[in-house]
């Protein structure tokens, strides 16, 4: 268990980490942080394999991730990635905002390793990304965790939410604005249908909170922060 103050401190920490990593990111002509997608797949496999030195339960074979050719279909379902455990495949949507790619790939790798609960896969992706030697992976991991934690802070303490949000650097802030715009443009009846099917699928697989399971990642991130700081 943790209180609002613990969540506030976690959000402040994540903001500092995002800002630090943003300084190392390459920017495109619009000022958005860009991941080096030319070798992101090999670096993702390398990063996840390296993480097994810290977390032995992640050891073993790690496949090379693949782009999903029909990315329009993924985006219209608001999907960033999918894993196929039976064939040991991890697919990701390479049309989505660039900064989400490393975290998404590592999330799908976690599923392939047998961590099927969404909050656990999300947390593992966070741990793997922030342990990476590559700044774009660290940026991706920290910004993902920042988003989850800040969304929860918004619900319980908007004054501190706004105070901390104002500390976020322009690069990360612009990325989040673009991210919201991108996914809003793909919302529609099909995305709502897909979300409902995903909710039923997760509940059928004993994740009682369905799509709300993703939000439980905040609990793991805060708990980890309290144990390590």
């Amino acid at each position: 268990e943790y209180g609002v103050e613990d969540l506030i401190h976690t959000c402040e920490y994540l903001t500092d980490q995002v800002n630090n990593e943003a300084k190392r990111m390459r920017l495109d002509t619009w000022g958005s942080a860009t991941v080096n997608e030319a070798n992101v797949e090999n670096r993702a496999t390398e990063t996840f394999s390296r993480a097994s030195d810290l977390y032995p339960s992640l050891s073993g074979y790690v496949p090379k991730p693949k782009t999903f050719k029909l990315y329009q279909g993924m985006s219209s379902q608001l999907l960033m990635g999918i894993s196929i455990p039976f064939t040991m495949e991890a697919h990701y949507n390479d049309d989505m905002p660039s900064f989400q790619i490393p975290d998404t790939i590592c999330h799908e790798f976690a599923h392939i390793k047998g961590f099927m609960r969404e909050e656990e896969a999300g947390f593992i992706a966070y741990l793997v990304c922030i342990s990476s030697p590559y700044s774009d992976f660290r940026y991706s991991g920290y910004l993902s965790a920042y988003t989850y934690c800040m969304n929860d802070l918004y619900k319980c303490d908007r004054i501190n939410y706004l105070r901390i949000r104002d500390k976020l650097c322009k690069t990360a802030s612009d990325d989040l604005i673009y991210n919201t715009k991108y996914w809003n443009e793909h919302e529609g009846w099909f995305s709502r249908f897909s979300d409902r099917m995903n909710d039923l699928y997760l509940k059928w697989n004993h994740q009682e909170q369905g799509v709300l399971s993703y939000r439980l990642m905040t609990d793991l991130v805060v708990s980890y922060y309290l144990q390590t700081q």
Side-chain angles (χ1 to χ4, degrees):
E1 294 183 1
Y2 59 88
V4 176
E5 284 297 317
D6 298 320
L7 178 58
I8 290 171
H9 293 320
T10 303
C11 289
E12 290 175 329
Y13 167 77
L14 292 171
T15 301
D16 290 340
Q17 299 306 310
V18 169
N19 289 345
N20 288 336
E21 297 302 336
K23 297 174 185 176
R24 302 180 176 91
M25 293 294 290
R26 183 181 62 183
L27 305 182
D28 61 20
T29 54
W30 295 277
S32 296
T34 60
V35 169
N36 184 358
E37 296 184 38
N39 62 353
V40 68
E41 296 173 359
N42 290 331
R43 291 189 300 125
T45 301
E46 175 197 342
T47 291
F48 205 90
S49 297
R50 279 172 173 259
S52 65
D53 293 335
L54 296 172
Y55 311 106
S57 59
L58 303 181
S59 61
Y61 172 73
V62 181
K64 182 178 179 180
K66 303 175 181 178
T67 58
F68 200 79
K69 301 304 180 185
L70 300 176
Y71 66 79
Q72 296 94 338
M74 290 190 77
S75 295
S76 64
Q77 297 179 69
L78 306 185
L79 287 176
M80 295 187 287
I82 57 173
S83 58
I84 307 176
F86 306 107
T87 56
M88 298 292 283
E89 290 180 294
H91 296 267
Y92 67 96
N93 181 348
D94 64 343
D95 186 62
M96 65 184 174
S98 178
F99 76 87
Q100 293 185 318
I101 292 176
D103 182 79
T104 296
I105 294 175
C106 291
H107 182 113
E108 300 308 327
F109 281 166
H111 282 322
I112 287 176
K113 289 295 180 182
F115 297 91
M116 303 311 295
R117 296 189 66 87
E118 294 301 336
E119 73 274 20
E120 292 178 359
F123 180 63
I124 289 170
Y126 167 69
L127 292 180
V128 170
C129 283
I130 66 174
S131 69
S132 174
Y134 303 110
S135 59
D136 51 354
F137 274 69
R138 297 193 300 271
Y139 178 76
S140 181
Y142 280 123
L143 192 52
S144 172
Y146 168 93
T147 303
Y148 280 106
C149 292
M150 285 290 283
N151 284 344
D152 281 340
L153 182 60
Y154 178 82
K155 300 171 188 175
C156 59
D157 189 338
R158 295 193 181 183
I159 293 176
N160 274 299
Y161 167 87
L162 293 172
R163 177 182 63 82
I164 297 172
R165 182 66 177 79
D166 285 343
K167 294 182 178 180
L168 191 67
C169 67
K170 186 177 186 303
T171 296
S173 182
D174 288 348
D175 277 341
L176 293 180
I177 291 172
Y178 172 63
N179 183 60
T180 299
K181 180 176 181 291
Y182 177 87
W183 292 110
N184 282 347
E185 288 176 350
H186 289 88
E187 282 191 353
W189 71 268
F190 190 57
S191 67
R192 291 189 291 272
F193 172 79
S194 175
D195 189 62
R196 178 57 179 158
M197 291 299 99
N198 190 32
D199 184 65
L200 292 173
Y201 169 78
L202 293 173
K203 289 176 178 176
W204 184 68
N205 281 281
H206 309 293
Q207 298 190 52
E208 295 80 7
Q209 299 207 36
V211 293
L212 296 180
S213 299
Y214 293 92
R215 299 177 185 175
L216 296 176
M217 180 181 161
T218 296
D219 297 342
L220 298 176
V221 173
V222 175
S223 297
Y224 180 74
Y225 169 79
L226 295 176
Q227 292 179 37
T228 56
Q229 298 301 310

